[in-house]
Amino acid sequence: MIFHVLTIFPEFFAGPFAHGVVKRAQDAHLLDIRIHNLRDWAFDRHKTVDDRPFGGGEGMVLKPEPIFLAVESIWPQRTPARKVILLSAQGRLFTQAGANRLSQESELLLICGRYEGVDERVAEHLADEEISIGNYVLSGGELAAAVVIDATARLLPGVLGNETSAAFESFQETGHGRGLLDCPHWTRPAEFRGWKAPEVLLNGNHEEIRRFRRESAVEKTGRLRRDLVKPGPQGGE
Ligand code: SAH
């Protein structure tokens, strides 16, 4: 899968993709992350990408021209398998289901806003979707783009080994919690400062371990994330 990122801070991305699973997946050519500098499509002497907002008020707004030109030159042809995503606090909330959906695409182009945001014509006439990573305001779309790429990339076939398959994780319908949180995990030592790892995980009975994991996923979700617990047949929580 190919991810393009359009940003005024290309150097920002030296960090997030240089480690662990995502780095290994790039080295193995399972994914390709291409960072593009928005200023390469600003042609005045100062490579201006922003301007004052119409109607007055605080801050600056990213201009439409460089963004449209960038997308049109990265993709002279738009196909349905090529999706433009605008990172925006006003977008649809990004979830694990969203990551699963995006992982089916072959090529994504993520536009990172800055300042007060991006000229609305980008959302209206260029982006296929507007995505927010949470109900808070970041100073730029770069962190959000890194989050979307990371969460999507680890769902691609071969990116995680079988042992740590994404299928078993929090929010995945196929996980121990079936759409709830993942079960809690323990490792050696079996006793640490007097706190013991659950006995059942040490006894090698796979059926009991499976049941314990399912029950502890449900218990933890009920305790920390009641919002994820689906209403029962009586309409209760
Ligand atoms: N004035 C805007 C915030 C602009 S923040 C508002 O109040 O809605 C600057 C840029 O950061 C945005 O253009 C967007 O690209 C990015 N950004 C901020 N919060 C975000 C979020 N929750 N999810 C995704 N991107 C976000």
Side-chain angles (χ1 to χ4, degrees), residues 127-193:
D128 293 293
E129 43 190 296
E130 223 175 318
I131 290 183
S132 162
I133 63 158
N135 294 336
Y136 38 78
V137 177
L138 301 166
S139 351
E142 286 77 8
L143 273 171
V147 166
V148 169
I149 292 174
D150 188 286
T152 305
R154 65 205 306 287
L155 296 172
L156 297 173
V159 169
L160 297 182
N162 275 343
E163 292 148 56
T164 47
S165 165
F168 297 111
E169 293 181 312
S170 294
F171 316 112
Q172 294 283 100
E173 286 299 331
T174 45
H176 296 295
R178 299 186 200 143
L180 307 181
L181 299 181
D182 189 9
C183 60
H185 303 280
W186 287 264
T187 186
R188 273 175 284 272
E191 184 171 341
F192 169 68
R193 297 190 178 174

Side-chain angles (χ1 to χ4, degrees), residues 48-71:
T48 310
V49 291
D50 59 327
D51 208 336
R52 287 189 299 277
F54 281 133
E58 293 297 302
M60 302 295 271
V61 174
L62 286 181
K63 292 156 64 63
E65 300 99 312
I67 299 180
F68 273 77
L69 285 176
V71 173

Side-chain angles (χ1 to χ4, degrees), residues 3 5 12-27 31 33-35 110 142-151 153:
F3 295 92
V5 180
F12 178 96
F13 292 95
F17 304 131
H19 311 279
V21 165
V22 174
K23 164 82 162 63
R24 256 182 286 130
Q26 288 182 92
D27 292 345
L31 58 110
I33 302 170
R34 301 181 193 169
I35 310 298
L110 296 102
E142 286 77 8
L143 273 171
V147 166
V148 169
I149 292 174
D150 188 286

